[in-house]
Amino acid sequence: MTDDQHYDVIIIGTGAGGGTLAHRLAPSGKRVLLLERGGRLPRERDNWDSGAVFVRAKYRAPELWLDRHGREFAPETNYYVGGNTKFFGAALFRLRPQDFGELRHHDGLSPAWPIDYQDLEPYYTQAEHLYRVHGRHGEDPTEGPVSAQYAHPPVRHEPRIQRLSDDLEKLGLHPFHLPIGVDLTQDEQGRAAHGSACIRCDRVDGFPCLLGAKSDAEVVCVEPALAHPGVELRTGVTVRRLETDPTGRTVTRVVAELADGSPAAFAADIVVVACGAVNSAALLLRSANDRHPRGLANSSDVVGRHYMRHNNLALMAVSLEPNPTTFQKTLALHDWYLGADDWDFPLGGIQMLGKSDAEQIRAEAPRWAGQLSPDLPFEVLAHHAVDFWLCGEDLPLPGNRVTLESSGQIRLTLDERNNTAGLDRLQHRLRGMLGRLGMHEQHLLPHSLYLHKTMPIGATAHQAGTVRFGTDPSSSALDVHCKAHDLDNLYVVDTAFFPSIGAVNPSLTAIANALRVGDHLLDRLR
């Protein structure tokens, strides 16, 4: 089936990049087609069930990728309208200004971006307002200058987390309110006010929101964009390849497969790829032709290379006092983001996770064998749990890459010990503070279930790189507007464009960049 309509823009993918771009273009009156390989996420009780989401991974994509040894693994990826933002934790940080420059790490250099912090700053502000981010600029001493305060006040700490914040301050540190995207109105006590969409529940992190109160791309961008007459969404459409004209300079057809297995093709003046760093690279590689024998946009041979996913640790500490916190994800700490008094290289950041429950802890228990005393049943342990997320920067190594097997299956080659010394030191610092933070010093337990991973390589939620942008066509695939150097009408707007990843969640940067590229496309379309 060939669609007989010609569009101004086709956007492949509806997550933080594609969904946000559609929102930016929608009021222009241009004809915009969104293609999404998944459907709408089912709205059901299992959305908030730990067993369904974390233990059985009910909503994870039913596909297997290969690691560098040829072993299959299940990636942490989801195909729904809204992309992976349906399951993200909605922590929406800006990169630090230093992240845009060359930054020396223990194991090498994090490269400079072709734009700087100030180029993206206005779009960071727009992104924070669009995605309803709650926070307070000025608390984090490592953040860059801002042109406007958050539109919404920070989500207030519950008593146990407020004590944690106070204890960190007593140690001379600078905890701050975690910037988080939720549709929350708080009363004078910090509770969800009457009429607030968000109810301050304990399901904000890693779960889809049954109430539509988490700022995911479907709720914030795709649905409002579809209210405009020129915007159309097709679900169940898996794009297989992009075809070009004989010159190889213009994408002429988007070749896809519908949910029933039948073929389809679509055409537009501009084609935007926003499938996620791994799948965007795979699509470009699958689209190789005589003019582009190594894949589209790949004359530089960088497509698929420089894959990054952060060095992450999810850890659970055990509070001496009960921790009855419901909405735990309100605090972060960046004091060692760029270095420490005894270490000249960046360590990374610490932030709170959503609150562990007994079902998650029960599933983790075999991994913790011998580390817990028998007088700590699951329910008691859950009531005392305090959950942390440690995030360090990995480096964009050319050998960490996406390739395709002859069958079309994705292979993800990854050196899993990439610049991990800083994260190891960050974990050591947290462990060393536990006693002064009112927690058991001997209990800092790995919470790997949170990462949905059966193997370390499976933690792909923060995937980035693979189609990097830059000013030199010999070492980058995209120009500063995220247009392919090699083609006149092909853009990439997910996290694949990142030359480096910093040590904060990448979503807000992807959103801000999609707004920036959207303005460029509006100028071009005029």
Side-chain angles (χ1 to χ4, degrees), residues 214-266:
K214 182 170 70 173
S215 295
D216 66 53
E218 179 190 26
V219 171
V220 172
C221 289
V222 175
E223 284 303 311
L226 292 174
H228 293 267
V231 181
E232 182 180 348
L233 169 67
R234 303 274 187 97
T235 60
V237 180
T238 303
V239 175
R240 295 302 183 189
R241 68 184 185 277
L242 306 177
E243 294 183 350
T244 70
D245 66 3
T247 71
R249 292 295 305 179
T250 303
V251 175
T252 55
R253 288 211 316 165
V254 176
V255 180
E257 183 179 294
L258 304 182
D260 62 4
S262 59
F266 308 89

Short mmCIF file of all heavy atoms in Angstrom, two decimals, residues 214-266:
data_model
loop_
_atom_site.label_atom_id
_atom_site.label_comp_id
_atom_site.label_asym_id
_atom_site.label_seq_id
_atom_site.Cartn_x
_atom_site.Cartn_y
_atom_site.Cartn_z
N LYS A 214 1.73 12.22 34.69
CA LYS A 214 3.17 12.31 34.46
C LYS A 214 3.39 12.99 33.12
O LYS A 214 2.67 12.75 32.17
CB LYS A 214 3.79 10.92 34.49
CG LYS A 214 5.30 10.93 34.29
CD LYS A 214 5.93 9.58 34.57
CE LYS A 214 5.57 8.55 33.52
NZ LYS A 214 6.30 7.29 33.70
N SER A 215 4.42 13.81 33.03
CA SER A 215 4.66 14.59 31.81
C SER A 215 5.38 13.73 30.78
O SER A 215 6.56 13.93 30.48
CB SER A 215 5.49 15.83 32.15
OG SER A 215 4.75 16.70 32.98
N ASP A 216 4.64 12.77 30.22
CA ASP A 216 5.22 11.99 29.13
C ASP A 216 4.89 12.66 27.80
O ASP A 216 4.04 13.55 27.72
CB ASP A 216 4.77 10.54 29.19
CG ASP A 216 3.28 10.33 28.95
OD1 ASP A 216 2.77 10.81 27.93
OD2 ASP A 216 2.64 9.66 29.78
N ALA A 217 5.54 12.22 26.74
CA ALA A 217 5.40 12.88 25.44
C ALA A 217 4.01 12.74 24.85
O ALA A 217 3.54 13.63 24.14
CB ALA A 217 6.45 12.34 24.47
N GLU A 218 3.34 11.62 25.13
CA GLU A 218 1.99 11.45 24.61
C GLU A 218 1.05 12.48 25.21
O GLU A 218 0.30 13.16 24.50
CB GLU A 218 1.47 10.05 24.91
CG GLU A 218 0.04 9.82 24.41
CD GLU A 218 -0.58 8.53 24.90
OE1 GLU A 218 -0.18 8.04 25.98
OE2 GLU A 218 -1.48 8.01 24.22
N VAL A 219 1.07 12.61 26.53
CA VAL A 219 0.15 13.50 27.24
C VAL A 219 0.46 14.96 26.93
O VAL A 219 -0.44 15.75 26.63
CB VAL A 219 0.23 13.23 28.75
CG1 VAL A 219 -0.54 14.29 29.54
CG2 VAL A 219 -0.31 11.84 29.07
N VAL A 220 1.74 15.32 26.99
CA VAL A 220 2.13 16.73 26.89
C VAL A 220 2.17 17.23 25.46
O VAL A 220 1.82 18.38 25.18
CB VAL A 220 3.50 16.94 27.58
CG1 VAL A 220 4.03 18.34 27.33
CG2 VAL A 220 3.40 16.68 29.07
N CYS A 221 2.57 16.36 24.53
CA CYS A 221 2.83 16.84 23.16
C CYS A 221 1.99 16.19 22.08
O CYS A 221 1.42 16.89 21.23
CB CYS A 221 4.31 16.63 22.84
SG CYS A 221 5.41 17.75 23.74
N VAL A 222 1.91 14.86 22.06
CA VAL A 222 1.25 14.20 20.93
C VAL A 222 -0.24 14.50 20.92
O VAL A 222 -0.79 14.89 19.87
CB VAL A 222 1.51 12.68 20.97
CG1 VAL A 222 0.73 11.97 19.86
CG2 VAL A 222 3.01 12.39 20.82
N GLU A 223 -0.90 14.34 22.04
CA GLU A 223 -2.34 14.59 22.07
C GLU A 223 -2.69 16.04 21.71
O GLU A 223 -3.58 16.27 20.89
CB GLU A 223 -2.92 14.21 23.44
CG GLU A 223 -3.06 12.70 23.64
CD GLU A 223 -3.92 12.06 22.57
OE1 GLU A 223 -5.02 12.56 22.27
OE2 GLU A 223 -3.48 11.06 21.98
N PRO A 224 -2.03 17.04 22.30
CA PRO A 224 -2.32 18.41 21.87
C PRO A 224 -1.99 18.65 20.39
O PRO A 224 -2.71 19.40 19.71
CB PRO A 224 -1.41 19.26 22.78
CG PRO A 224 -1.20 18.42 23.99
CD PRO A 224 -1.14 17.02 23.48
N ALA A 225 -0.93 18.03 19.88
CA ALA A 225 -0.60 18.22 18.46
C ALA A 225 -1.69 17.68 17.56
O ALA A 225 -2.02 18.28 16.52
CB ALA A 225 0.73 17.54 18.14
N LEU A 226 -2.29 16.55 17.94
CA LEU A 226 -3.33 15.93 17.12
C LEU A 226 -4.61 16.77 17.07
O LEU A 226 -5.47 16.53 16.21
CB LEU A 226 -3.65 14.53 17.63
CG LEU A 226 -2.54 13.49 17.45
CD1 LEU A 226 -2.91 12.18 18.13
CD2 LEU A 226 -2.24 13.27 15.97
N ALA A 227 -4.74 17.74 17.96
CA ALA A 227 -5.90 18.63 17.92
C ALA A 227 -5.83 19.59 16.73
O ALA A 227 -6.84 20.21 16.38
CB ALA A 227 -6.01 19.41 19.22
N HIS A 228 -4.65 19.71 16.11
CA HIS A 228 -4.49 20.57 14.94
C HIS A 228 -4.84 19.77 13.68
O HIS A 228 -4.45 18.61 13.55
CB HIS A 228 -3.06 21.10 14.86
CG HIS A 228 -2.72 22.04 15.97
ND1 HIS A 228 -2.87 23.40 15.88
CD2 HIS A 228 -2.27 21.81 17.23
CE1 HIS A 228 -2.50 23.98 17.01
NE2 HIS A 228 -2.13 23.04 17.85
N PRO A 229 -5.54 20.37 12.73
CA PRO A 229 -6.05 19.61 11.59
C PRO A 229 -4.99 19.04 10.67
O PRO A 229 -5.23 18.08 9.95
CB PRO A 229 -6.93 20.64 10.84
CG PRO A 229 -6.45 21.98 11.31
CD PRO A 229 -6.00 21.78 12.72
N GLY A 230 -3.79 19.59 10.68
CA GLY A 230 -2.76 19.09 9.77
C GLY A 230 -1.95 17.93 10.29
O GLY A 230 -1.10 17.40 9.57
N VAL A 231 -2.18 17.52 11.54
CA VAL A 231 -1.34 16.50 12.18
C VAL A 231 -2.08 15.18 12.20
O VAL A 231 -3.25 15.11 12.61
CB VAL A 231 -0.94 16.92 13.60
CG1 VAL A 231 -0.05 15.87 14.24
CG2 VAL A 231 -0.23 18.28 13.58
N GLU A 232 -1.38 14.12 11.80
CA GLU A 232 -1.98 12.78 11.73
C GLU A 232 -1.04 11.78 12.41
O GLU A 232 0.19 11.88 12.31
CB GLU A 232 -2.19 12.40 10.27
CG GLU A 232 -2.86 11.05 10.04
CD GLU A 232 -3.03 10.74 8.56
OE1 GLU A 232 -2.84 11.67 7.74
OE2 GLU A 232 -3.32 9.58 8.24
N LEU A 233 -1.61 10.81 13.09
CA LEU A 233 -0.85 9.76 13.76
C LEU A 233 -1.26 8.41 13.19
O LEU A 233 -2.45 8.09 13.12
CB LEU A 233 -1.10 9.78 15.27
CG LEU A 233 -0.59 8.58 16.08
CD1 LEU A 233 0.94 8.54 16.09
CD2 LEU A 233 -1.14 8.64 17.52
N ARG A 234 -0.27 7.60 12.78
CA ARG A 234 -0.52 6.22 12.39
C ARG A 234 0.23 5.32 13.37
O ARG A 234 1.45 5.45 13.53
CB ARG A 234 -0.01 5.95 10.96
CG ARG A 234 -0.58 6.85 9.89
CD ARG A 234 -1.90 6.33 9.34
NE ARG A 234 -2.32 7.12 8.19
CZ ARG A 234 -2.12 6.79 6.92
NH1 ARG A 234 -1.48 5.67 6.62
NH2 ARG A 234 -2.56 7.57 5.95
N THR A 235 -0.47 4.41 14.01
CA THR A 235 0.16 3.48 14.94
C THR A 235 0.30 2.11 14.30
O THR A 235 -0.30 1.82 13.26
CB THR A 235 -0.67 3.36 16.23
OG1 THR A 235 -1.98 2.89 15.91
CG2 THR A 235 -0.78 4.71 16.94
N GLY A 236 1.11 1.26 14.93
CA GLY A 236 1.34 -0.07 14.38
C GLY A 236 2.11 -0.06 13.08
O GLY A 236 1.99 -0.98 12.27
N VAL A 237 2.93 0.97 12.86
CA VAL A 237 3.69 1.13 11.62
C VAL A 237 5.18 1.00 11.94
O VAL A 237 5.76 1.87 12.59
CB VAL A 237 3.41 2.49 10.95
CG1 VAL A 237 4.22 2.62 9.66
CG2 VAL A 237 1.93 2.67 10.68
N THR A 238 5.79 -0.09 11.51
CA THR A 238 7.21 -0.31 11.71
C THR A 238 7.97 0.09 10.44
O THR A 238 7.79 -0.53 9.39
CB THR A 238 7.51 -1.78 12.05
OG1 THR A 238 6.77 -2.16 13.20
CG2 THR A 238 9.00 -1.99 12.31
N VAL A 239 8.77 1.13 10.54
CA VAL A 239 9.52 1.60 9.37
C VAL A 239 10.71 0.68 9.15
O VAL A 239 11.52 0.46 10.05
CB VAL A 239 9.96 3.06 9.56
CG1 VAL A 239 10.84 3.51 8.40
CG2 VAL A 239 8.73 3.97 9.68
N ARG A 240 10.81 0.14 7.95
CA ARG A 240 11.87 -0.81 7.62
C ARG A 240 13.08 -0.15 6.98
O ARG A 240 14.22 -0.53 7.24
CB ARG A 240 11.33 -1.89 6.68
CG ARG A 240 10.24 -2.77 7.29
CD ARG A 240 10.74 -3.46 8.54
NE ARG A 240 9.75 -4.38 9.12
CZ ARG A 240 9.88 -4.96 10.29
NH1 ARG A 240 10.96 -4.71 11.02
NH2 ARG A 240 8.95 -5.77 10.75
N ARG A 241 12.86 0.84 6.12
CA ARG A 241 13.99 1.50 5.47
C ARG A 241 13.52 2.83 4.86
O ARG A 241 12.32 3.08 4.73
CB ARG A 241 14.59 0.62 4.38
CG ARG A 241 13.71 0.39 3.17
CD ARG A 241 14.35 -0.58 2.17
NE ARG A 241 13.55 -0.70 0.95
CZ ARG A 241 12.50 -1.49 0.82
NH1 ARG A 241 12.10 -2.25 1.85
NH2 ARG A 241 11.83 -1.54 -0.32
N LEU A 242 14.50 3.64 4.54
CA LEU A 242 14.27 4.90 3.84
C LEU A 242 14.89 4.79 2.46
O LEU A 242 16.03 4.32 2.31
CB LEU A 242 14.89 6.07 4.61
CG LEU A 242 14.49 6.21 6.08
CD1 LEU A 242 15.24 7.38 6.72
CD2 LEU A 242 12.99 6.39 6.24
N GLU A 243 14.17 5.22 1.43
CA GLU A 243 14.67 5.17 0.07
C GLU A 243 14.97 6.59 -0.42
O GLU A 243 14.30 7.55 -0.03
CB GLU A 243 13.65 4.50 -0.85
CG GLU A 243 13.44 3.03 -0.53
CD GLU A 243 12.48 2.35 -1.48
OE1 GLU A 243 11.83 3.06 -2.29
OE2 GLU A 243 12.38 1.10 -1.44
N THR A 244 15.96 6.70 -1.29
CA THR A 244 16.37 8.01 -1.80
C THR A 244 16.17 8.08 -3.31
O THR A 244 15.95 7.06 -3.99
CB THR A 244 17.85 8.29 -1.48
OG1 THR A 244 18.68 7.43 -2.29
CG2 THR A 244 18.16 8.08 -0.02
N ASP A 245 16.28 9.30 -3.84
CA ASP A 245 16.27 9.48 -5.29
C ASP A 245 17.60 9.00 -5.87
O ASP A 245 18.53 8.65 -5.11
CB ASP A 245 15.99 10.94 -5.65
CG ASP A 245 17.09 11.90 -5.22
OD1 ASP A 245 18.13 11.43 -4.69
OD2 ASP A 245 16.93 13.11 -5.41
N PRO A 246 17.75 8.95 -7.19
CA PRO A 246 18.99 8.42 -7.79
C PRO A 246 20.25 9.18 -7.38
O PRO A 246 21.34 8.60 -7.37
CB PRO A 246 18.73 8.55 -9.29
CG PRO A 246 17.24 8.47 -9.43
CD PRO A 246 16.70 9.19 -8.22
N THR A 247 20.12 10.46 -7.02
CA THR A 247 21.31 11.21 -6.61
C THR A 247 21.77 10.84 -5.20
O THR A 247 22.90 11.12 -4.82
CB THR A 247 21.04 12.73 -6.64
OG1 THR A 247 20.14 13.08 -5.58
CG2 THR A 247 20.45 13.15 -7.98
N GLY A 248 20.88 10.24 -4.43
CA GLY A 248 21.19 9.92 -3.04
C GLY A 248 21.09 11.10 -2.10
O GLY A 248 21.39 10.97 -0.91
N ARG A 249 20.63 12.25 -2.57
CA ARG A 249 20.58 13.46 -1.74
C ARG A 249 19.24 13.66 -1.06
O ARG A 249 19.15 14.46 -0.12
CB ARG A 249 20.89 14.69 -2.60
CG ARG A 249 22.31 14.78 -3.10
CD ARG A 249 23.33 14.94 -1.99
NE ARG A 249 23.08 16.07 -1.12
CZ ARG A 249 23.82 16.39 -0.06
NH1 ARG A 249 24.88 15.64 0.27
NH2 ARG A 249 23.52 17.43 0.68
N THR A 250 18.20 12.98 -1.49
CA THR A 250 16.86 13.23 -0.97
C THR A 250 16.16 11.92 -0.62
O THR A 250 16.14 11.00 -1.45
CB THR A 250 16.01 13.99 -2.01
OG1 THR A 250 16.67 15.20 -2.37
CG2 THR A 250 14.62 14.30 -1.47
N VAL A 251 15.61 11.86 0.58
CA VAL A 251 14.77 10.72 0.94
C VAL A 251 13.42 10.90 0.25
O VAL A 251 12.76 11.94 0.39
CB VAL A 251 14.56 10.63 2.47
CG1 VAL A 251 13.58 9.52 2.81
CG2 VAL A 251 15.89 10.39 3.17
N THR A 252 13.02 9.91 -0.53
CA THR A 252 11.78 10.00 -1.30
C THR A 252 10.66 9.13 -0.75
O THR A 252 9.49 9.44 -0.95
CB THR A 252 12.02 9.61 -2.76
OG1 THR A 252 12.62 8.30 -2.79
CG2 THR A 252 12.93 10.61 -3.44
N ARG A 253 11.01 8.03 -0.06
CA ARG A 253 9.97 7.14 0.45
C ARG A 253 10.36 6.58 1.80
O ARG A 253 11.52 6.22 2.03
CB ARG A 253 9.73 5.95 -0.51
CG ARG A 253 9.04 6.30 -1.81
CD ARG A 253 8.19 5.15 -2.34
NE ARG A 253 8.86 3.85 -2.26
CZ ARG A 253 8.23 2.69 -2.38
NH1 ARG A 253 6.92 2.66 -2.55
NH2 ARG A 253 8.90 1.54 -2.33
N VAL A 254 9.37 6.49 2.68
CA VAL A 254 9.50 5.81 3.95
C VAL A 254 8.78 4.47 3.79
O VAL A 254 7.56 4.43 3.66
CB VAL A 254 8.87 6.64 5.09
CG1 VAL A 254 8.92 5.86 6.40
CG2 VAL A 254 9.60 7.98 5.23
N VAL A 255 9.53 3.40 3.76
CA VAL A 255 8.98 2.07 3.50
C VAL A 255 8.75 1.38 4.84
O VAL A 255 9.66 1.29 5.68
CB VAL A 255 9.92 1.24 2.63
CG1 VAL A 255 9.34 -0.16 2.37
CG2 VAL A 255 10.18 1.96 1.31
N ALA A 256 7.53 0.88 5.05
CA ALA A 256 7.14 0.38 6.37
C ALA A 256 6.34 -0.90 6.26
O ALA A 256 6.00 -1.37 5.17
CB ALA A 256 6.33 1.45 7.11
N GLU A 257 6.05 -1.45 7.43
CA GLU A 257 5.20 -2.64 7.53
C GLU A 257 4.11 -2.34 8.55
O GLU A 257 4.39 -1.84 9.65
CB GLU A 257 6.03 -3.83 7.99
CG GLU A 257 5.27 -5.14 8.07
CD GLU A 257 6.18 -6.27 8.51
OE1 GLU A 257 7.11 -6.63 7.75
OE2 GLU A 257 5.98 -6.78 9.63
N LEU A 258 2.87 -2.59 8.19
CA LEU A 258 1.75 -2.35 9.08
C LEU A 258 1.59 -3.49 10.08
O LEU A 258 2.24 -4.54 9.95
CB LEU A 258 0.47 -2.16 8.27
CG LEU A 258 0.51 -1.05 7.20
CD1 LEU A 258 -0.84 -0.93 6.51
CD2 LEU A 258 0.94 0.28 7.81
N ALA A 259 0.74 -3.30 11.05
CA ALA A 259 0.58 -4.28 12.13
C ALA A 259 0.16 -5.64 11.61
O ALA A 259 0.51 -6.68 12.20
CB ALA A 259 -0.42 -3.75 13.15
N ASP A 260 -0.57 -5.69 10.51
CA ASP A 260 -1.02 -6.97 9.96
C ASP A 260 0.01 -7.60 9.03
O ASP A 260 -0.26 -8.63 8.39
CB ASP A 260 -2.36 -6.81 9.22
CG ASP A 260 -2.26 -5.85 8.03
OD1 ASP A 260 -1.15 -5.38 7.72
OD2 ASP A 260 -3.31 -5.59 7.40
N GLY A 261 1.20 -6.97 8.93
CA GLY A 261 2.25 -7.51 8.10
C GLY A 261 2.28 -7.00 6.69
O GLY A 261 3.20 -7.31 5.92
N SER A 262 1.29 -6.22 6.29
CA SER A 262 1.24 -5.72 4.93
C SER A 262 2.19 -4.55 4.75
O SER A 262 2.45 -3.79 5.69
CB SER A 262 -0.19 -5.30 4.55
OG SER A 262 -0.65 -4.28 5.44
N PRO A 263 2.73 -4.35 3.53
CA PRO A 263 3.67 -3.26 3.30
C PRO A 263 2.96 -1.93 3.13
O PRO A 263 1.78 -1.87 2.76
CB PRO A 263 4.37 -3.68 2.00
CG PRO A 263 3.34 -4.51 1.29
CD PRO A 263 2.57 -5.22 2.35
N ALA A 264 3.69 -0.86 3.36
CA ALA A 264 3.16 0.49 3.19
C ALA A 264 4.32 1.42 2.86
O ALA A 264 5.48 1.14 3.17
CB ALA A 264 2.45 0.96 4.45
N ALA A 265 4.02 2.55 2.23
CA ALA A 265 5.04 3.54 1.91
C ALA A 265 4.45 4.94 2.06
O ALA A 265 3.26 5.15 1.78
CB ALA A 265 5.58 3.34 0.50
N PHE A 266 5.26 5.88 2.51
CA PHE A 266 4.83 7.25 2.76
C PHE A 266 5.89 8.20 2.21
O PHE A 266 7.07 7.84 2.10
CB PHE A 266 4.64 7.49 4.26
CG PHE A 266 3.77 6.48 4.94
CD1 PHE A 266 4.31 5.32 5.49
CD2 PHE A 266 2.40 6.67 5.03
CE1 PHE A 266 3.51 4.39 6.12
CE2 PHE A 266 1.59 5.74 5.67
CZ PHE A 266 2.14 4.59 6.21
#
